């Protein structure tokens, strides 16, 4: 599960706060206790040795345990913080200054005593507490001899139960004061850490905000500024937002570029179309005015000639307007498509029949290869017919008398076929091939016949094929002919 920025900030602060407080508290307690025990043990390090050396009972080998117990009781009255024990060389407790009911163990480990008396370890050294089964406390110890015979050890607990109880009562007040100091220190430290963490986590946000402000000041033109690169696969929401912002900027700039190019093309198209519209309109106006003013003076032959010219210009004007509306409709992207399966060869023969008169007038031979094709395609039949009609009309216009036009169907894969319309006409210069689909572009070697051509046919063809998810390709050799080809989706039964 991915955590949000808020959750990461909250969790980080909580963990840091708990860890710091816990470590500081444990460390402070341990340091205070260790320091206190070390100083107290060091202070009373020679206590047992002094008692063993100065007391007659201990000097004689501690043979009278009852007298020794009375001595321990007297010493404990004088020093309530101490607990006195005498243990034999095996660690058994022989006598002590404690109430018998409080003793929890009858034997202690002698190893710490030996380490203390022989200075084998650094302070503090902890020994067994007879009043507890597992607890250990600091102590002072000294061996007791009878001559050269070791009779046992004088074992003195430095911080006894009474001392610990009194210390605990006083320590509670100190702990309250220390807790307040620690709380203030922890809050101050938390505030500093929080500033650092928020600075770290919000730095990407500041970078993103800076990029947005720079982009705004540059008029949303990415080329004028340098935008931060973000990690595309990061789980950080800010980095994901930065990647989305960068993609959005690229998309916006791309769309602005396309809009600018489209605006330039539209202005050029409008200028060209205005010129083409003005020509037939001016001709219409001139002939109509002539007929209107000199109608009675004109012969029937001249009148009919003028009327035919007016009709031809009217048809040309209608064709131009229809193509302009068709191109605008296609560029608007609001075209509905009706895909269905049909036989491609049948469609080709239908289109050939429509242009039979134009082809026969120039004695052009139009054929389909293979002539008996059963290729089924999945497309919009009306849109595809319009494409083929435009290409065939264009081929007939640019093919000389007695020429040839071939429709070739190539099934190059199970799911795709290619349709090629090839002629042996005038051809197109190589440097002009990349421009022939531009609106209003006419090749330098275009056929100049008695009919005017709008130059929108190939542009409409390309738009229609884009809607049909296909891309048209052209190959041409000047003086030898031209071929247009595009792919269609096959239908397998």
């Amino acid at each position: 599960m991915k955590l949000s920025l808020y959750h990461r900030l909250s969790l980080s602060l909580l963990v840091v706060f708990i860890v710091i407080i816990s470590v500081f508290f444990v460390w402070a307690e341990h340091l205070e206790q260790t320091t206190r025990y070390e100083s107290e043990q060091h202070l009373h390090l020679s206590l047992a040795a002094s008692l063993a050396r100065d007391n007659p009972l201990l000097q004689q080998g501690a043979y009278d345990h009852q007298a020794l117990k009375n001595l321990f009781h007297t010493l404990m009255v004088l020093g309530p913080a101490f607990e006195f024990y005498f243990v034999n060389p095996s660690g058994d407790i022989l006598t002590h200054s404690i109430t018998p009911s409080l003793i929890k163990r009858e034997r202690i480990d002698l190893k710490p005593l030996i380490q203390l008396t022989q200075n084998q370890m650094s302070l503090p050294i902890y020994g067994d507490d007879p009043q507890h089964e597992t607890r250990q406390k600091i102590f002072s110890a000294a061996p007791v001899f009878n001559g050269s015979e070791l009779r046992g050890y004088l074992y003195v607990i430095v911080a006894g139960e009474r001392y610990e109880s009194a210390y605990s009562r006083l320590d509670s007040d100190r702990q309250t004061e220390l807790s307040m100091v620690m709380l203030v220190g922890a809050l101050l430290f938390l505030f500093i850490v929080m500033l650092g963490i928020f600075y770290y986590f919000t730095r990407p946000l500041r970078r993103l905000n800076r990029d947005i402000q720079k982009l705004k000041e540059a008029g949303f033109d990415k080329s004028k500024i340098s935008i931060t690169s973000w990690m595309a696969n990061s789980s950080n929401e800010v980095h994901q937002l930065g990647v989305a912002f960068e993609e959005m900027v690229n998309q916006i700039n791309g769309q602005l570029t396309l809009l600018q190019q489209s605006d330039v093309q539209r202005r050029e198209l409008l200028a060209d179309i205005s010129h083409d519209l003005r020509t037939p309109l001016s001709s219409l106006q001139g002939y109509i005015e002539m007929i209107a003013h000199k109608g009675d003076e004109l012969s029937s032959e001249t009148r009919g000639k003028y009327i035919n010219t007016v009709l031809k210009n009217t048809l040309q004007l209608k064709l131009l307007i229809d193509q302009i509306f068709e191109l605008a409709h296609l560029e608007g992207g609001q075209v509905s498509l009706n895909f269905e399966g049909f036989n491609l060869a049948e469609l080709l023969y239908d289109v050939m029949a429509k242009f039979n008169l134009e082809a026969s007038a120039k004695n052009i031979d139009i054929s389909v290869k293979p002539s008996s094709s059963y290729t089924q395609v999945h497309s919009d039949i009306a849109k595809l017919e319009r494409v083929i009609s435009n290409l065939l009309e264009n081929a007939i216009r640019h093919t000389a008398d007695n020429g040839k036009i071939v429709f070739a169907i190539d099934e190059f894969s199970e799911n795709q076929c290619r349709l090629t319309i090839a002629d042996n006409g005038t051809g197109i210069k190589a440097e002009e091939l990349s421009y022939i689909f531009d609106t209003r572009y006419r090749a330098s070697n275009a056929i100049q016949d008695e009919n005017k051509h709008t130059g929108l046919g190939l542009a409409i063809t390309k738009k229609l094929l884009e809607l049909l998810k296909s891309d048209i390709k052209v190959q041409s050799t000047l003086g030898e002919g031209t071929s247009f080809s595009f792919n269609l989706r096959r239908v397998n039964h």
Side-chain angles (χ1 to χ4, degrees):
M1 181 181 66
K2 296 181 179 179
L3 297 178
S4 66
L5 177 62
Y6 172 76
H7 290 152
R8 290 204 303 272
L9 287 173
S10 302
L11 185 60
S12 299
L13 290 176
L14 179 61
V15 171
V16 168
F17 181 76
I18 293 176
V19 169
I20 291 175
I21 291 297
S22 301
V23 171
F24 183 78
F25 182 80
V26 172
W27 174 78
E29 283 289 315
H30 176 74
L31 181 62
E32 188 273 339
Q33 187 182 64
T34 301
T35 304
R36 177 168 62 89
Y37 284 161
E38 182 181 359
S39 60
E40 289 183 359
Q41 191 172 39
H42 188 274
L43 179 64
H44 301 94
L45 187 61
S46 60
L47 175 62
S50 299
L51 290 175
R53 183 180 63 250
D54 299 337
N55 193 277
L57 289 176
L58 295 174
Q59 288 178 355
Q60 297 172 8
Y63 60 90
D64 189 349
H65 292 170
Q66 183 60 42
L68 188 59
K69 184 175 182 179
N70 294 333
L71 173 63
F72 286 167
H73 179 73
T74 302
L75 293 175
M76 190 172 178
V77 172
L78 297 174
F82 306 116
E83 297 174 1
F84 299 92
Y85 302 88
F86 182 75
V87 298
N88 63 20
S90 299
D92 298 324
I93 300 176
L94 300 179
T95 185
H96 53 79
S97 61
I98 307 301
T99 303
S101 60
L102 298 179
I103 298 298
K104 301 300 181 182
R105 60 173 117 189
E106 300 295 332
R107 181 186 180 89
I108 64 171
D109 185 10
L110 293 179
K111 184 177 179 180
L113 279 68
I114 297 173
Q115 291 174 342
L116 181 70
T117 56
Q118 297 181 4
N119 296 320
Q120 295 179 355
M121 285 185 62
S122 59
L123 302 181
I125 300 175
Y126 298 94
D128 294 338
D129 182 6
Q131 296 191 58
H132 197 275
E133 294 179 353
T134 58
R135 188 172 56 196
Q136 292 188 319
K137 289 187 176 182
I138 57 175
F139 64 94
S140 177
V144 177
F145 292 92
N146 185 6
S148 60
E149 179 187 0
L150 177 65
R151 299 298 304 271
Y153 291 90
L154 177 61
Y155 181 54
V156 182
I157 300 294
V158 174
E161 275 306 304
R162 293 183 181 181
Y163 170 81
E164 292 289 352
S165 299
Y167 180 82
S168 297
R169 288 193 300 270
L170 296 174
D171 190 55
S172 61
D173 296 335
R174 185 186 63 82
Q175 286 291 341
T176 302
E177 183 178 337
L178 179 62
S179 298
M180 292 298 298
V181 174
M182 289 179 60
L183 179 62
V184 173
L187 290 176
L188 180 61
F189 189 81
L190 175 64
F191 177 73
I192 297 174
V193 172
M194 182 177 63
L195 289 179
I197 291 177
F198 272 104
Y199 176 83
Y200 173 77
F201 281 113
T202 58
R203 183 173 58 178
L205 282 174
R206 293 195 300 273
R207 288 164 52 194
L208 181 59
N209 180 68
R210 184 171 61 250
D211 287 346
I212 294 174
Q213 294 299 325
K214 288 166 59 178
L215 186 65
K216 181 179 178 181
E217 294 172 358
F220 299 94
D221 187 355
K222 183 185 175 182
S223 62
K224 297 181 180 179
I225 61 173
S226 176
I227 294 181
T228 303
S229 297
W230 301 90
M231 292 185 292
N233 298 323
S234 174
S235 60
N236 190 311
E237 291 90 342
V238 181
H239 284 272
Q240 295 174 1
L241 183 62
V243 172
F245 168 72
E246 190 173 4
E247 292 176 353
M248 180 184 68
V249 171
N250 292 332
Q251 184 71 15
I252 291 174
N253 276 260
Q255 290 178 347
L256 287 175
T257 301
L258 289 177
L259 286 174
Q260 292 171 354
Q261 293 175 352
S262 178
D263 185 57
V264 172
Q265 293 174 357
R266 288 178 186 275
R267 286 199 298 268
E268 293 176 352
L269 178 62
L270 182 60
D272 293 337
I273 290 177
S274 298
H275 178 269
D276 288 345
L277 288 173
R278 187 183 299 111
T279 300
L281 283 173
S282 299
S283 178
L284 282 171
Q285 182 181 4
Y287 281 104
I288 291 174
E289 287 178 351
M290 187 175 294
I291 294 173
H293 291 96
K294 299 182 179 181
D296 297 337
E297 302 176 7
L298 299 175
S299 64
S300 59
E301 183 181 355
T302 304
R303 184 192 299 272
K305 181 179 178 181
Y306 287 173
I307 290 175
N308 287 334
T309 303
V310 169
L311 179 60
K312 184 183 296 184
N313 281 282
T314 302
L315 293 175
Q316 179 66 23
L317 185 61
K318 181 180 181 300
L319 175 62
L320 177 60
I321 293 174
D322 288 343
Q323 289 189 332
I324 292 172
F325 275 110
E326 183 179 9
L327 185 61
H329 186 60
L330 292 174
E331 289 183 341
Q334 304 298 321
V335 182
S336 59
L337 298 173
N338 181 26
F339 286 91
E340 57 183 314
F342 54 89
N343 186 281
L344 179 58
E346 292 180 1
L347 177 61
L348 295 177
Y349 283 115
D350 289 342
V351 175
M352 287 167 54
K354 289 196 309 180
F355 290 89
N356 186 50
L357 291 177
E358 290 89 337
S360 297
K362 300 178 69 174
N363 196 27
I364 296 175
D365 177 53
I366 305 177
S367 60
V368 177
K369 292 183 179 181
S371 58
S372 299
S373 174
Y374 299 97
T375 302
Q376 297 285 321
V377 297
H378 186 261
S379 186
D380 188 312
I381 190 170
K383 303 295 187 298
L384 185 57
E385 180 182 5
R386 182 78 171 93
V387 169
I388 297 173
S389 298
N390 283 351
L391 294 175
L392 181 56
E393 180 185 14
N394 191 64
I396 292 174
R397 185 167 61 250
H398 291 84
T399 301
D401 294 350
N402 304 315
K404 292 182 179 181
I405 298 175
V406 178
F407 289 104
I409 303 174
D410 178 22
E411 298 179 353
F412 63 90
S413 73
E414 293 183 359
N415 300 319
Q416 293 286 320
C417 69
R418 181 182 298 108
L419 176 62
T420 303
I421 299 94
D423 63 64
N424 59 351
T426 59
I428 307 170
K429 293 180 180 180
E431 61 269 20
E432 295 181 336
L433 287 177
S434 58
Y435 301 102
I436 62 174
F437 296 105
D438 293 348
T439 307
R440 300 295 300 154
Y441 182 81
R442 296 191 70 203
S444 59
N445 59 325
I447 298 296
Q448 302 294 335
D449 56 23
E450 60 181 2
N451 296 319
K452 297 289 184 181
H453 308 294
T454 62
L456 297 177
L458 288 178
I460 292 174
T461 298
K462 185 175 178 61
K463 291 290 183 183
L464 287 170
L465 285 174
E466 287 176 354
L467 292 174
L468 298 178
K469 308 299 182 184
S470 185
D471 185 28
I472 189 168
K473 294 180 174 57
V474 58
Q475 293 180 342
S476 183
T477 302
L478 189 63
E480 296 182 10
T482 304
S483 66
F484 292 89
S485 62
F486 53 89
N487 296 343
L488 294 171
R489 178 186 170 191
R490 287 184 60 193
V491 178
N492 295 316
H493 295 289

